[in-house]
Amino acid sequence: MPGDQDPTPKPQQHNADASRTTGPDAGQPSVLPHTQHQLIILTGMSGAGKQSALRAFEDLGYYSVDNLPLELIPQFAELISSSSEIHRAALGVDVREALLDRFPQILKQVQPLLPTTVLFLDAADDVLVRRYSETRRPHPLGRDEGVLTQIHTERRRLETIRNVAGVLLDTSRFNVHELRAHIHAQFGHESQQQAMLVSVMSFGFKNGVPPEADLLLDVRFLPNPHFIPEFRHKTGQDAGVAEYVMGFPQTSEFLDRTTDMLLFLLPHYVREGKSYLTVALGCTGGQHRSVALAEELATRLHHAGYRVKTSHRDMPR
C-alpha cells in the first residue's frame, strides 16, 4: 500500500513420389516437396476422420474447402497455382459426390498445374461401426439400410479414388489428437510446426481477470511506475517507462523464465491440437508494467518463430 515503503525504488543497470503409410506406428515419409504451391485432396471412408484431418490442414495454414464439386477442382487448382496469397490448399471429397468415377481423369488435369497428393483415410469396418454408434450420427448415404451395409456400399463407390491415392492412412488406432499430430508431422513444413497464434495481452486486476486467458501471469511483484510523477500518465509503450520496468533484475529473470516455459509448452499445445493461446499479464491498472512486459514477451516469441499478436485491454487510449 502507498506509504508503507518508499514508492520509488531505483532499478539496477545492467517433387518426390508420395509414400503410402498406414496406422500410427508407420513411418512419416516426405509426401510433397516443399514447393511454393501444393494441393491436398482429402478423401476416404466416412467416420475415418476427414473432418478432423481437414481442420488439421487448416491449422497448418492450408486454405481448406470441403465438398467442392469435382468438376470445379481443375479451376480451383489453377487459381491456387497463380495465387500470390494462397500457396497451399486442402480439398475434402466424400462419397456424396456424384462424379466419383471421373476422379482419375480430373486428377490428371490437376497434376500438371501444381503438386497434388490424394490422401485417403480408411479404418476397419468394426471401428467405423463403433464410431457411428458412439456419435449416433447417421451415415451420409442415409438411414434406409444398416450402418455396416452402408459402409460396404461406400467402399465400392470410393474404390476408384482409393486406387489413385498417393497416401493411404489407416486411422483405426488413432484418436483425434493422434490423427492431428500425424497430419502435422507428415504434411507440415518445419516453419508450420509453430503455426499456433499466440495472443499476448495486458490487463489491470482492478478491472477483473480476462475470461479468455489460457495462461495468466501476475506482474504486480515489480515496482509500480505509477508512483513516479513523470510516468504516471504514460504507458508501458513509452520508452522511459519500459526502460524503468526492464531495469530491475527480477524483470529480466521473470522474462527469461517465462519465455523458457512458453517455448517448452507451445509445441506440446500444438501437438494436442491447440491452435490459439492467450497469455495474459496483469498489473494493478493495466497501464505500465503489464504493457511493457507484454510487448517484450511478444517480441521474444516472435523471434522464436511464432505468430504473435498483442493487445492491451486496459491501457488508456
Side-chain angles (χ1 to χ4, degrees):
M1 294 292 294
D4 293 340
Q5 57 183 348
D6 180 4
T8 58
K10 301 299 186 291
Q12 298 180 11
Q13 299 299 318
H14 58 237
N15 204 9
D17 290 334
S19 299
R20 299 192 170 215
T21 180
T22 57
D25 297 324
Q28 297 169 346
S30 176
V31 176
L32 282 174
H34 293 170
T35 51
Q36 187 176 15
H37 293 88
Q38 298 176 6
L39 175 64
I40 303 294
I41 299 179
L42 178 62
T43 185
M45 296 296 294
S46 303
K50 292 197 305 296
Q51 291 301 317
S52 296
L54 197 62
R55 286 192 292 269
F57 279 111
E58 194 170 57
D59 292 343
L60 286 172
Y62 285 74
Y63 183 85
S64 300
V65 179
D66 197 15
N67 291 329
L68 183 72
L70 286 185
E71 63 267 28
L72 296 182
I73 292 180
Q75 293 95 313
F76 179 81
E78 188 172 355
L79 289 173
I80 296 298
S81 66
S82 60
S83 174
S84 60
E85 297 181 359
I86 302 174
H87 294 161
R88 295 173 298 277
L91 295 179
V93 175
D94 69 23
V95 71
R96 290 170 291 184
E97 173 59 51
L99 303 175
L100 292 176
D101 290 342
R102 292 190 54 202
F103 184 84
Q105 177 185 348
I106 292 172
L107 182 61
K108 288 182 180 179
Q109 295 177 251
V110 170
Q111 287 173 327
L113 299 175
L114 76 171
T116 303
T117 289
V118 179
L119 171 59
F120 191 100
L121 301 184
D122 202 352
D125 288 354
D126 62 318
V127 173
L128 295 175
V129 171
R130 187 186 73 243
R131 290 175 181 174
Y132 274 107
S133 176
E134 291 172 349
T135 62
R136 299 184 180 181
R137 297 191 63 186
H139 192 279
L141 291 180
R143 302 173 181 265
D144 296 338
E145 299 176 303
V147 171
L148 186 57
T149 300
Q150 299 285 30
I151 290 172
H152 292 163
T153 300
E154 183 179 21
R155 285 198 185 281
R156 289 194 300 270
R157 291 191 183 183
L158 293 176
E159 189 66 24
T160 301
I161 297 183
R162 182 187 174 95
N163 289 339
V164 297
V167 179
L168 300 176
L169 181 59
D170 187 336
T171 69
S172 298
R173 292 191 293 152
F174 280 130
N175 60 35
V176 172
H177 302 299
E178 290 168 338
L179 175 59
R180 182 185 297 269
H182 190 90
I183 295 295
H184 279 238
Q186 190 167 5
F187 291 89
H189 299 175
E190 183 178 352
S191 60
Q192 292 173 319
Q193 299 302 325
Q194 296 174 336
M196 171 184 280
L197 175 62
V198 183
S199 176
V200 182
M201 69 179 300
S202 67
F203 72 95
F205 276 98
K206 72 176 185 180
N207 297 317
V209 173
E212 66 270 31
D214 296 300
L215 297 175
L216 192 147
L217 301 168
D218 185 348
V219 300
R220 289 175 294 183
F221 66 91
L222 293 171
N224 194 346
H226 173 80
F227 296 115
I228 300 178
E230 64 181 289
F231 293 154
R232 180 165 300 175
H233 300 293
K234 296 179 180 180
T235 74
Q237 291 182 327
D238 176 82
V241 174
E243 183 179 1
Y244 174 83
V245 174
M246 299 299 170
F248 295 95
Q250 59 265 42
T251 305
S252 297
E253 184 172 356
F254 169 80
L255 285 167
D256 290 343
R257 289 174 180 251
T258 300
T259 302
D260 288 343
M261 177 187 71
L262 289 172
L263 294 182
F264 165 76
L265 290 175
L266 289 174
H268 293 286
Y269 282 130
V270 170
R271 280 194 288 273
E272 286 301 306
K274 195 170 182 63
S275 59
Y276 189 92
L277 186 80
T278 298
V279 182
L281 295 91
C283 61
T284 303
Q287 177 173 338
H288 298 107
R289 294 166 289 183
S290 62
V291 172
L293 291 178
E295 292 285 345
E296 175 61 23
L297 184 59
T299 297
R300 292 185 178 207
L301 294 176
H302 174 73
H303 288 162
Y306 286 91
R307 296 189 299 130
V308 185
K309 74 171 185 177
T310 57
S311 62
H312 304 294
R313 191 191 73 177
D314 299 325
M315 185 180 75
R317 303 298 194 270

